[in-house]
Amino acid sequence: MFYGVGNVHLQMLRALYPKLRIVGRDNVMRIMGDEEQMAAFEESSEKLRQHILKFNAITEEDILDIVKGRRTSEKLPDDVVVYSIAGRPIKARSENQQHLINAFHDNDMVFAVGPAGTGKTYLSIALAVKSLKEKTAKKIILSRPAVEAGEKLGFLPGDMKDKIDPYLQPLYDALEDMIPQVKLQDMMEKHVIQIAPLAFMRGRTLNDAVVILDEAQNTTPAQIRMFLTRMGWNTKMIITGDMTQIDLPRSQKSGLIEALHILNNVEGISVVNLNGKDIVRHKLVTRIVNAYENYDKEYNNNESINKD
């Protein structure tokens, strides 16, 4: 991203600093030449790095403005959470998504509940990435219960990471859309970003972090209670779930349903309910969700009539 497609940004920097020999290879840049220009280049390159960190993109106009000392935008627009690695602004795309953003800022714990495609997980991870970039959190911890979605996966080969990664892939997908691959890998190796199954949370106290529990409808009451009590100092938690996609055995009560009932009026906890109007995937997803909701209502009404 820094070098640009076909090294166009690198070539532009060479033209702007003609007294320097600038060689870029992978993540390493070597600079030789005039000491005065080297000092100016060092200052400009740090500003360029900060710009990319904030906006996940940089244009030739941005480079020219920074090198020439002209003022560039120093803060994100008010409605933008973060930028994707493609430079696309990630922001609320519905009223309830904005409620989720506001609830995160105003509360230490947020429950985001709604059907598939409403952006619960994606927007939650964007808020966590924003907190990391702004240094209001030192790490991101993402977790999911390892529950099979109505199918038996059987024995999975490989080590522990290989076995659990299929359950956690949606979390990786969202992160890869917001953090460049090399940077993300480095953050994970340094445990700045941690992704783990819910079972791995037991016994931990989570401080200075944004912690997200995804697919919470598939937790048991004991599991979600354990998770919620991991909360430490300067930590925010987001718990997401979809009541229509509970994959627990029929005899097992969903921990999310119980938690929402118990914690409904606890100060510092907000519950944001998303619905079909908030779906931001393909328009057919909205129609599918609505069709299933209508079917469930009809089925439940018929069941009630038959019992009477």
Side-chain angles (χ1 to χ4, degrees), residues 198-233:
L198 181 57
F200 286 28
M201 295 294 107
R202 186 173 298 279
R204 301 184 65 183
T205 300
L206 309 174
N207 296 316
D208 300 310
V210 177
V211 187
I212 298 173
L213 175 60
D214 194 34
E215 300 287 353
Q217 77 277 1
N218 288 326
T219 61
T220 65
Q223 285 175 328
I224 199 166
R225 184 173 182 175
M226 176 274 291
F227 174 82
L228 297 177
T229 54
R230 300 305 93 200
M231 191 173 194
W233 295 107

PDB file of all heavy atoms in Angstrom, residues 198-233:
ATOM      1  N   LEU A 198     -14.605 -20.088  22.993  1.00  0.00           N
ATOM      2  CA  LEU A 198     -15.097 -19.648  24.287  1.00  0.00           C
ATOM      3  C   LEU A 198     -14.477 -20.428  25.444  1.00  0.00           C
ATOM      4  O   LEU A 198     -14.192 -19.865  26.509  1.00  0.00           O
ATOM      5  CB  LEU A 198     -16.625 -19.780  24.310  1.00  0.00           C
ATOM      6  CG  LEU A 198     -17.340 -19.350  25.582  1.00  0.00           C
ATOM      7  CD1 LEU A 198     -17.022 -17.897  25.913  1.00  0.00           C
ATOM      8  CD2 LEU A 198     -18.839 -19.547  25.421  1.00  0.00           C
ATOM      9  N   ALA A 199     -14.248 -21.717  25.236  1.00  0.00           N
ATOM     10  CA  ALA A 199     -13.700 -22.560  26.305  1.00  0.00           C
ATOM     11  C   ALA A 199     -12.348 -22.059  26.799  1.00  0.00           C
ATOM     12  O   ALA A 199     -11.958 -22.297  27.945  1.00  0.00           O
ATOM     13  CB  ALA A 199     -13.582 -24.002  25.825  1.00  0.00           C
ATOM     14  N   PHE A 200     -11.614 -21.330  25.935  1.00  0.00           N
ATOM     15  CA  PHE A 200     -10.283 -20.850  26.295  1.00  0.00           C
ATOM     16  C   PHE A 200     -10.331 -19.607  27.187  1.00  0.00           C
ATOM     17  O   PHE A 200      -9.304 -19.128  27.639  1.00  0.00           O
ATOM     18  CB  PHE A 200      -9.478 -20.522  25.035  1.00  0.00           C
ATOM     19  CG  PHE A 200      -8.985 -21.732  24.288  1.00  0.00           C
ATOM     20  CD1 PHE A 200      -9.659 -22.937  24.340  1.00  0.00           C
ATOM     21  CD2 PHE A 200      -7.835 -21.659  23.516  1.00  0.00           C
ATOM     22  CE1 PHE A 200      -9.215 -24.046  23.649  1.00  0.00           C
ATOM     23  CE2 PHE A 200      -7.372 -22.770  22.819  1.00  0.00           C
ATOM     24  CZ  PHE A 200      -8.074 -23.970  22.890  1.00  0.00           C
ATOM     25  N   MET A 201     -11.532 -19.064  27.429  1.00  0.00           N
ATOM     26  CA  MET A 201     -11.667 -17.856  28.238  1.00  0.00           C
ATOM     27  C   MET A 201     -11.668 -18.150  29.735  1.00  0.00           C
ATOM     28  O   MET A 201     -11.440 -17.258  30.549  1.00  0.00           O
ATOM     29  CB  MET A 201     -12.980 -17.131  27.893  1.00  0.00           C
ATOM     30  CG  MET A 201     -13.057 -16.578  26.477  1.00  0.00           C
ATOM     31  SD  MET A 201     -11.863 -15.255  26.166  1.00  0.00           S
ATOM     32  CE  MET A 201     -10.705 -16.128  25.115  1.00  0.00           C
ATOM     33  N   ARG A 202     -11.925 -19.377  30.115  1.00  0.00           N
ATOM     34  CA  ARG A 202     -12.052 -19.718  31.534  1.00  0.00           C
ATOM     35  C   ARG A 202     -10.765 -19.388  32.292  1.00  0.00           C
ATOM     36  O   ARG A 202      -9.660 -19.695  31.846  1.00  0.00           O
ATOM     37  CB  ARG A 202     -12.381 -21.209  31.693  1.00  0.00           C
ATOM     38  CG  ARG A 202     -12.677 -21.615  33.134  1.00  0.00           C
ATOM     39  CD  ARG A 202     -13.166 -23.043  33.214  1.00  0.00           C
ATOM     40  NE  ARG A 202     -14.414 -23.236  32.491  1.00  0.00           N
ATOM     41  CZ  ARG A 202     -15.621 -22.917  32.979  1.00  0.00           C
ATOM     42  NH1 ARG A 202     -15.717 -22.379  34.169  1.00  0.00           N
ATOM     43  NH2 ARG A 202     -16.705 -23.123  32.259  1.00  0.00           N
ATOM     44  N   GLY A 203     -10.925 -18.751  33.444  1.00  0.00           N
ATOM     45  CA  GLY A 203      -9.792 -18.448  34.298  1.00  0.00           C
ATOM     46  C   GLY A 203      -9.071 -17.149  33.971  1.00  0.00           C
ATOM     47  O   GLY A 203      -8.186 -16.729  34.712  1.00  0.00           O
ATOM     48  N   ARG A 204      -9.450 -16.488  32.877  1.00  0.00           N
ATOM     49  CA  ARG A 204      -8.772 -15.260  32.477  1.00  0.00           C
ATOM     50  C   ARG A 204      -9.478 -14.027  33.040  1.00  0.00           C
ATOM     51  O   ARG A 204     -10.684 -14.037  33.281  1.00  0.00           O
ATOM     52  CB  ARG A 204      -8.713 -15.137  30.954  1.00  0.00           C
ATOM     53  CG  ARG A 204      -7.992 -16.264  30.251  1.00  0.00           C
ATOM     54  CD  ARG A 204      -7.887 -16.015  28.762  1.00  0.00           C
ATOM     55  NE  ARG A 204      -7.062 -14.839  28.460  1.00  0.00           N
ATOM     56  CZ  ARG A 204      -6.866 -14.377  27.225  1.00  0.00           C
ATOM     57  NH1 ARG A 204      -7.452 -14.960  26.188  1.00  0.00           N
ATOM     58  NH2 ARG A 204      -6.105 -13.327  27.016  1.00  0.00           N
ATOM     59  N   THR A 205      -8.716 -12.952  33.247  1.00  0.00           N
ATOM     60  CA  THR A 205      -9.273 -11.631  33.521  1.00  0.00           C
ATOM     61  C   THR A 205      -8.824 -10.726  32.388  1.00  0.00           C
ATOM     62  O   THR A 205      -7.630 -10.574  32.130  1.00  0.00           O
ATOM     63  CB  THR A 205      -8.774 -11.077  34.872  1.00  0.00           C
ATOM     64  OG1 THR A 205      -9.162 -11.968  35.909  1.00  0.00           O
ATOM     65  CG2 THR A 205      -9.375  -9.707  35.125  1.00  0.00           C
ATOM     66  N   LEU A 206      -9.767 -10.141  31.705  1.00  0.00           N
ATOM     67  CA  LEU A 206      -9.472  -9.418  30.465  1.00  0.00           C
ATOM     68  C   LEU A 206      -9.469  -7.917  30.727  1.00  0.00           C
ATOM     69  O   LEU A 206     -10.523  -7.296  30.885  1.00  0.00           O
ATOM     70  CB  LEU A 206     -10.511  -9.790  29.404  1.00  0.00           C
ATOM     71  CG  LEU A 206     -10.704 -11.313  29.200  1.00  0.00           C
ATOM     72  CD1 LEU A 206     -11.846 -11.574  28.237  1.00  0.00           C
ATOM     73  CD2 LEU A 206      -9.414 -11.949  28.702  1.00  0.00           C
ATOM     74  N   ASN A 207      -8.270  -7.332  30.766  1.00  0.00           N
ATOM     75  CA  ASN A 207      -8.100  -5.901  31.021  1.00  0.00           C
ATOM     76  C   ASN A 207      -7.692  -5.156  29.745  1.00  0.00           C
ATOM     77  O   ASN A 207      -7.095  -5.736  28.847  1.00  0.00           O
ATOM     78  CB  ASN A 207      -7.021  -5.668  32.084  1.00  0.00           C
ATOM     79  CG  ASN A 207      -7.398  -6.243  33.432  1.00  0.00           C
ATOM     80  OD1 ASN A 207      -8.530  -6.087  33.885  1.00  0.00           O
ATOM     81  ND2 ASN A 207      -6.461  -6.909  34.082  1.00  0.00           N
ATOM     82  N   ASP A 208      -8.001  -3.847  29.702  1.00  0.00           N
ATOM     83  CA  ASP A 208      -7.546  -2.956  28.620  1.00  0.00           C
ATOM     84  C   ASP A 208      -7.841  -3.539  27.241  1.00  0.00           C
ATOM     85  O   ASP A 208      -6.971  -3.565  26.368  1.00  0.00           O
ATOM     86  CB  ASP A 208      -6.043  -2.690  28.750  1.00  0.00           C
ATOM     87  CG  ASP A 208      -5.682  -2.038  30.075  1.00  0.00           C
ATOM     88  OD1 ASP A 208      -6.327  -1.035  30.419  1.00  0.00           O
ATOM     89  OD2 ASP A 208      -4.774  -2.545  30.760  1.00  0.00           O
ATOM     90  N   ALA A 209      -9.051  -4.009  27.035  1.00  0.00           N
ATOM     91  CA  ALA A 209      -9.367  -4.721  25.794  1.00  0.00           C
ATOM     92  C   ALA A 209     -10.785  -4.422  25.324  1.00  0.00           C
ATOM     93  O   ALA A 209     -11.633  -3.966  26.095  1.00  0.00           O
ATOM     94  CB  ALA A 209      -9.197  -6.223  26.009  1.00  0.00           C
ATOM     95  N   VAL A 210     -10.997  -4.665  24.045  1.00  0.00           N
ATOM     96  CA  VAL A 210     -12.351  -4.800  23.518  1.00  0.00           C
ATOM     97  C   VAL A 210     -12.549  -6.291  23.274  1.00  0.00           C
ATOM     98  O   VAL A 210     -11.783  -6.914  22.537  1.00  0.00           O
ATOM     99  CB  VAL A 210     -12.559  -4.011  22.212  1.00  0.00           C
ATOM    100  CG1 VAL A 210     -13.969  -4.255  21.672  1.00  0.00           C
ATOM    101  CG2 VAL A 210     -12.340  -2.524  22.441  1.00  0.00           C
ATOM    102  N   VAL A 211     -13.549  -6.855  23.917  1.00  0.00           N
ATOM    103  CA  VAL A 211     -13.783  -8.300  23.871  1.00  0.00           C
ATOM    104  C   VAL A 211     -15.121  -8.547  23.185  1.00  0.00           C
ATOM    105  O   VAL A 211     -16.142  -7.963  23.576  1.00  0.00           O
ATOM    106  CB  VAL A 211     -13.798  -8.914  25.284  1.00  0.00           C
ATOM    107  CG1 VAL A 211     -13.864 -10.432  25.202  1.00  0.00           C
ATOM    108  CG2 VAL A 211     -12.570  -8.474  26.071  1.00  0.00           C
ATOM    109  N   ILE A 212     -15.112  -9.388  22.161  1.00  0.00           N
ATOM    110  CA  ILE A 212     -16.335  -9.677  21.408  1.00  0.00           C
ATOM    111  C   ILE A 212     -16.643 -11.164  21.504  1.00  0.00           C
ATOM    112  O   ILE A 212     -15.791 -12.009  21.213  1.00  0.00           O
ATOM    113  CB  ILE A 212     -16.186  -9.271  19.932  1.00  0.00           C
ATOM    114  CG1 ILE A 212     -15.948  -7.754  19.821  1.00  0.00           C
ATOM    115  CG2 ILE A 212     -17.424  -9.669  19.129  1.00  0.00           C
ATOM    116  CD1 ILE A 212     -15.620  -7.285  18.410  1.00  0.00           C
ATOM    117  N   LEU A 213     -17.849 -11.471  21.924  1.00  0.00           N
ATOM    118  CA  LEU A 213     -18.353 -12.847  21.887  1.00  0.00           C
ATOM    119  C   LEU A 213     -19.370 -12.938  20.770  1.00  0.00           C
ATOM    120  O   LEU A 213     -20.429 -12.311  20.826  1.00  0.00           O
ATOM    121  CB  LEU A 213     -18.987 -13.231  23.226  1.00  0.00           C
ATOM    122  CG  LEU A 213     -19.670 -14.607  23.272  1.00  0.00           C
ATOM    123  CD1 LEU A 213     -18.680 -15.721  22.960  1.00  0.00           C
ATOM    124  CD2 LEU A 213     -20.333 -14.855  24.615  1.00  0.00           C
ATOM    125  N   ASP A 214     -19.040 -13.691  19.744  1.00  0.00           N
ATOM    126  CA  ASP A 214     -19.903 -13.832  18.570  1.00  0.00           C
ATOM    127  C   ASP A 214     -20.719 -15.116  18.679  1.00  0.00           C
ATOM    128  O   ASP A 214     -20.306 -16.071  19.342  1.00  0.00           O
ATOM    129  CB  ASP A 214     -19.028 -13.857  17.314  1.00  0.00           C
ATOM    130  CG  ASP A 214     -19.826 -13.649  16.043  1.00  0.00           C
ATOM    131  OD1 ASP A 214     -20.810 -12.895  16.071  1.00  0.00           O
ATOM    132  OD2 ASP A 214     -19.447 -14.235  15.012  1.00  0.00           O
ATOM    133  N   GLU A 215     -21.876 -15.140  18.032  1.00  0.00           N
ATOM    134  CA  GLU A 215     -22.756 -16.320  18.036  1.00  0.00           C
ATOM    135  C   GLU A 215     -23.112 -16.744  19.458  1.00  0.00           C
ATOM    136  O   GLU A 215     -23.130 -17.933  19.797  1.00  0.00           O
ATOM    137  CB  GLU A 215     -22.088 -17.482  17.288  1.00  0.00           C
ATOM    138  CG  GLU A 215     -21.761 -17.204  15.833  1.00  0.00           C
ATOM    139  CD  GLU A 215     -23.000 -17.185  14.938  1.00  0.00           C
ATOM    140  OE1 GLU A 215     -24.099 -17.522  15.412  1.00  0.00           O
ATOM    141  OE2 GLU A 215     -22.868 -16.824  13.764  1.00  0.00           O
ATOM    142  N   ALA A 216     -23.423 -15.760  20.299  1.00  0.00           N
ATOM    143  CA  ALA A 216     -23.675 -16.046  21.714  1.00  0.00           C
ATOM    144  C   ALA A 216     -24.944 -16.853  21.944  1.00  0.00           C
ATOM    145  O   ALA A 216     -25.128 -17.422  23.029  1.00  0.00           O
ATOM    146  CB  ALA A 216     -23.743 -14.740  22.505  1.00  0.00           C
ATOM    147  N   GLN A 217     -25.809 -16.936  20.936  1.00  0.00           N
ATOM    148  CA  GLN A 217     -27.015 -17.755  21.101  1.00  0.00           C
ATOM    149  C   GLN A 217     -26.666 -19.223  21.293  1.00  0.00           C
ATOM    150  O   GLN A 217     -27.478 -20.006  21.783  1.00  0.00           O
ATOM    151  CB  GLN A 217     -27.953 -17.588  19.902  1.00  0.00           C
ATOM    152  CG  GLN A 217     -27.546 -18.330  18.629  1.00  0.00           C
ATOM    153  CD  GLN A 217     -26.529 -17.571  17.790  1.00  0.00           C
ATOM    154  OE1 GLN A 217     -26.104 -16.474  18.172  1.00  0.00           O
ATOM    155  NE2 GLN A 217     -26.148 -18.121  16.653  1.00  0.00           N
ATOM    156  N   ASN A 218     -25.442 -19.612  20.927  1.00  0.00           N
ATOM    157  CA  ASN A 218     -25.022 -21.005  21.053  1.00  0.00           C
ATOM    158  C   ASN A 218     -24.194 -21.268  22.310  1.00  0.00           C
ATOM    159  O   ASN A 218     -23.524 -22.294  22.422  1.00  0.00           O
ATOM    160  CB  ASN A 218     -24.223 -21.426  19.809  1.00  0.00           C
ATOM    161  CG  ASN A 218     -25.113 -21.588  18.595  1.00  0.00           C
ATOM    162  OD1 ASN A 218     -26.270 -21.998  18.719  1.00  0.00           O
ATOM    163  ND2 ASN A 218     -24.608 -21.246  17.425  1.00  0.00           N
ATOM    164  N   THR A 219     -24.255 -20.333  23.263  1.00  0.00           N
ATOM    165  CA  THR A 219     -23.631 -20.588  24.556  1.00  0.00           C
ATOM    166  C   THR A 219     -24.661 -21.191  25.507  1.00  0.00           C
ATOM    167  O   THR A 219     -25.863 -20.949  25.382  1.00  0.00           O
ATOM    168  CB  THR A 219     -23.112 -19.287  25.194  1.00  0.00           C
ATOM    169  OG1 THR A 219     -24.220 -18.382  25.396  1.00  0.00           O
ATOM    170  CG2 THR A 219     -22.068 -18.623  24.321  1.00  0.00           C
ATOM    171  N   THR A 220     -24.185 -21.944  26.464  1.00  0.00           N
ATOM    172  CA  THR A 220     -25.054 -22.409  27.549  1.00  0.00           C
ATOM    173  C   THR A 220     -25.108 -21.312  28.604  1.00  0.00           C
ATOM    174  O   THR A 220     -24.249 -20.410  28.618  1.00  0.00           O
ATOM    175  CB  THR A 220     -24.507 -23.691  28.181  1.00  0.00           C
ATOM    176  OG1 THR A 220     -23.250 -23.394  28.826  1.00  0.00           O
ATOM    177  CG2 THR A 220     -24.287 -24.783  27.132  1.00  0.00           C
ATOM    178  N   PRO A 221     -26.070 -21.353  29.523  1.00  0.00           N
ATOM    179  CA  PRO A 221     -26.103 -20.356  30.603  1.00  0.00           C
ATOM    180  C   PRO A 221     -24.800 -20.298  31.397  1.00  0.00           C
ATOM    181  O   PRO A 221     -24.339 -19.214  31.753  1.00  0.00           O
ATOM    182  CB  PRO A 221     -27.277 -20.829  31.471  1.00  0.00           C
ATOM    183  CG  PRO A 221     -28.202 -21.487  30.496  1.00  0.00           C
ATOM    184  CD  PRO A 221     -27.291 -22.194  29.532  1.00  0.00           C
ATOM    185  N   ALA A 222     -24.194 -21.434  31.656  1.00  0.00           N
ATOM    186  CA  ALA A 222     -22.939 -21.457  32.410  1.00  0.00           C
ATOM    187  C   ALA A 222     -21.801 -20.829  31.607  1.00  0.00           C
ATOM    188  O   ALA A 222     -20.965 -20.100  32.163  1.00  0.00           O
ATOM    189  CB  ALA A 222     -22.580 -22.896  32.782  1.00  0.00           C
ATOM    190  N   GLN A 223     -21.772 -21.079  30.307  1.00  0.00           N
ATOM    191  CA  GLN A 223     -20.702 -20.532  29.466  1.00  0.00           C
ATOM    192  C   GLN A 223     -20.771 -19.016  29.384  1.00  0.00           C
ATOM    193  O   GLN A 223     -19.754 -18.327  29.529  1.00  0.00           O
ATOM    194  CB  GLN A 223     -20.783 -21.136  28.060  1.00  0.00           C
ATOM    195  CG  GLN A 223     -20.289 -22.559  27.951  1.00  0.00           C
ATOM    196  CD  GLN A 223     -20.506 -23.126  26.560  1.00  0.00           C
ATOM    197  OE1 GLN A 223     -21.464 -22.781  25.866  1.00  0.00           O
ATOM    198  NE2 GLN A 223     -19.609 -24.003  26.144  1.00  0.00           N
ATOM    199  N   ILE A 224     -21.959 -18.468  29.140  1.00  0.00           N
ATOM    200  CA  ILE A 224     -22.039 -17.015  28.977  1.00  0.00           C
ATOM    201  C   ILE A 224     -21.805 -16.315  30.308  1.00  0.00           C
ATOM    202  O   ILE A 224     -21.212 -15.230  30.367  1.00  0.00           O
ATOM    203  CB  ILE A 224     -23.384 -16.593  28.341  1.00  0.00           C
ATOM    204  CG1 ILE A 224     -23.248 -15.177  27.762  1.00  0.00           C
ATOM    205  CG2 ILE A 224     -24.545 -16.672  29.330  1.00  0.00           C
ATOM    206  CD1 ILE A 224     -24.367 -14.781  26.827  1.00  0.00           C
ATOM    207  N   ARG A 225     -22.220 -16.937  31.398  1.00  0.00           N
ATOM    208  CA  ARG A 225     -21.953 -16.364  32.719  1.00  0.00           C
ATOM    209  C   ARG A 225     -20.441 -16.324  32.971  1.00  0.00           C
ATOM    210  O   ARG A 225     -19.916 -15.321  33.477  1.00  0.00           O
ATOM    211  CB  ARG A 225     -22.654 -17.194  33.794  1.00  0.00           C
ATOM    212  CG  ARG A 225     -22.507 -16.630  35.199  1.00  0.00           C
ATOM    213  CD  ARG A 225     -23.360 -17.422  36.165  1.00  0.00           C
ATOM    214  NE  ARG A 225     -23.279 -16.883  37.509  1.00  0.00           N
ATOM    215  CZ  ARG A 225     -24.006 -17.334  38.532  1.00  0.00           C
ATOM    216  NH1 ARG A 225     -24.878 -18.323  38.338  1.00  0.00           N
ATOM    217  NH2 ARG A 225     -23.876 -16.813  39.725  1.00  0.00           N
ATOM    218  N   MET A 226     -19.767 -17.411  32.622  1.00  0.00           N
ATOM    219  CA  MET A 226     -18.318 -17.447  32.759  1.00  0.00           C
ATOM    220  C   MET A 226     -17.677 -16.344  31.929  1.00  0.00           C
ATOM    221  O   MET A 226     -16.790 -15.620  32.386  1.00  0.00           O
ATOM    222  CB  MET A 226     -17.779 -18.816  32.316  1.00  0.00           C
ATOM    223  CG  MET A 226     -16.265 -18.962  32.316  1.00  0.00           C
ATOM    224  SD  MET A 226     -15.462 -18.404  30.778  1.00  0.00           S
ATOM    225  CE  MET A 226     -16.025 -19.665  29.625  1.00  0.00           C
ATOM    226  N   PHE A 227     -18.135 -16.173  30.690  1.00  0.00           N
ATOM    227  CA  PHE A 227     -17.548 -15.176  29.793  1.00  0.00           C
ATOM    228  C   PHE A 227     -17.754 -13.765  30.323  1.00  0.00           C
ATOM    229  O   PHE A 227     -16.804 -12.968  30.386  1.00  0.00           O
ATOM    230  CB  PHE A 227     -18.163 -15.302  28.405  1.00  0.00           C
ATOM    231  CG  PHE A 227     -17.719 -14.219  27.453  1.00  0.00           C
ATOM    232  CD1 PHE A 227     -16.512 -14.322  26.784  1.00  0.00           C
ATOM    233  CD2 PHE A 227     -18.494 -13.086  27.246  1.00  0.00           C
ATOM    234  CE1 PHE A 227     -16.085 -13.318  25.925  1.00  0.00           C
ATOM    235  CE2 PHE A 227     -18.080 -12.083  26.391  1.00  0.00           C
ATOM    236  CZ  PHE A 227     -16.874 -12.201  25.735  1.00  0.00           C
ATOM    237  N   LEU A 228     -18.964 -13.426  30.701  1.00  0.00           N
ATOM    238  CA  LEU A 228     -19.281 -12.069  31.138  1.00  0.00           C
ATOM    239  C   LEU A 228     -18.493 -11.671  32.380  1.00  0.00           C
ATOM    240  O   LEU A 228     -18.165 -10.497  32.565  1.00  0.00           O
ATOM    241  CB  LEU A 228     -20.784 -11.929  31.400  1.00  0.00           C
ATOM    242  CG  LEU A 228     -21.700 -12.134  30.187  1.00  0.00           C
ATOM    243  CD1 LEU A 228     -23.159 -12.038  30.589  1.00  0.00           C
ATOM    244  CD2 LEU A 228     -21.385 -11.142  29.077  1.00  0.00           C
ATOM    245  N   THR A 229     -18.171 -12.638  33.218  1.00  0.00           N
ATOM    246  CA  THR A 229     -17.437 -12.334  34.448  1.00  0.00           C
ATOM    247  C   THR A 229     -15.922 -12.313  34.239  1.00  0.00           C
ATOM    248  O   THR A 229     -15.165 -12.169  35.199  1.00  0.00           O
ATOM    249  CB  THR A 229     -17.789 -13.342  35.556  1.00  0.00           C
ATOM    250  OG1 THR A 229     -17.580 -14.681  35.078  1.00  0.00           O
ATOM    251  CG2 THR A 229     -19.252 -13.197  35.962  1.00  0.00           C
ATOM    252  N   ARG A 230     -15.474 -12.427  32.974  1.00  0.00           N
ATOM    253  CA  ARG A 230     -14.042 -12.259  32.668  1.00  0.00           C
ATOM    254  C   ARG A 230     -13.673 -10.788  32.552  1.00  0.00           C
ATOM    255  O   ARG A 230     -12.502 -10.443  32.442  1.00  0.00           O
ATOM    256  CB  ARG A 230     -13.678 -12.936  31.325  1.00  0.00           C
ATOM    257  CG  ARG A 230     -13.915 -14.433  31.188  1.00  0.00           C
ATOM    258  CD  ARG A 230     -13.246 -15.242  32.262  1.00  0.00           C
ATOM    259  NE  ARG A 230     -14.184 -15.463  33.359  1.00  0.00           N
ATOM    260  CZ  ARG A 230     -13.837 -15.789  34.595  1.00  0.00           C
ATOM    261  NH1 ARG A 230     -12.568 -15.857  34.921  1.00  0.00           N
ATOM    262  NH2 ARG A 230     -14.729 -15.987  35.525  1.00  0.00           N
ATOM    263  N   MET A 231     -14.651  -9.927  32.558  1.00  0.00           N
ATOM    264  CA  MET A 231     -14.442  -8.507  32.280  1.00  0.00           C
ATOM    265  C   MET A 231     -13.537  -7.863  33.328  1.00  0.00           C
ATOM    266  O   MET A 231     -13.764  -7.974  34.531  1.00  0.00           O
ATOM    267  CB  MET A 231     -15.797  -7.788  32.244  1.00  0.00           C
ATOM    268  CG  MET A 231     -15.756  -6.379  31.709  1.00  0.00           C
ATOM    269  SD  MET A 231     -17.446  -5.753  31.550  1.00  0.00           S
ATOM    270  CE  MET A 231     -17.163  -4.308  30.537  1.00  0.00           C
ATOM    271  N   GLY A 232     -12.478  -7.174  32.853  1.00  0.00           N
ATOM    272  CA  GLY A 232     -11.550  -6.505  33.746  1.00  0.00           C
ATOM    273  C   GLY A 232     -11.613  -4.998  33.596  1.00  0.00           C
ATOM    274  O   GLY A 232     -12.538  -4.449  32.998  1.00  0.00           O
ATOM    275  N   TRP A 233     -10.576  -4.309  34.120  1.00  0.00           N
ATOM    276  CA  TRP A 233     -10.537  -2.855  34.072  1.00  0.00           C
ATOM    277  C   TRP A 233     -10.319  -2.361  32.642  1.00  0.00           C
ATOM    278  O   TRP A 233      -9.610  -2.968  31.864  1.00  0.00           O
ATOM    279  CB  TRP A 233      -9.409  -2.328  34.963  1.00  0.00           C
ATOM    280  CG  TRP A 233      -9.617  -2.618  36.421  1.00  0.00           C
ATOM    281  CD1 TRP A 233      -8.954  -3.537  37.185  1.00  0.00           C
ATOM    282  CD2 TRP A 233     -10.578  -2.003  37.289  1.00  0.00           C
ATOM    283  NE1 TRP A 233      -9.431  -3.529  38.478  1.00  0.00           N
ATOM    284  CE2 TRP A 233     -10.435  -2.594  38.569  1.00  0.00           C
ATOM    285  CE3 TRP A 233     -11.548  -1.008  37.112  1.00  0.00           C
ATOM    286  CZ2 TRP A 233     -11.212  -2.222  39.664  1.00  0.00           C
ATOM    287  CZ3 TRP A 233     -12.331  -0.638  38.201  1.00  0.00           C
ATOM    288  CH2 TRP A 233     -12.160  -1.231  39.461  1.00  0.00           C
TER     289      TRP A 233
END
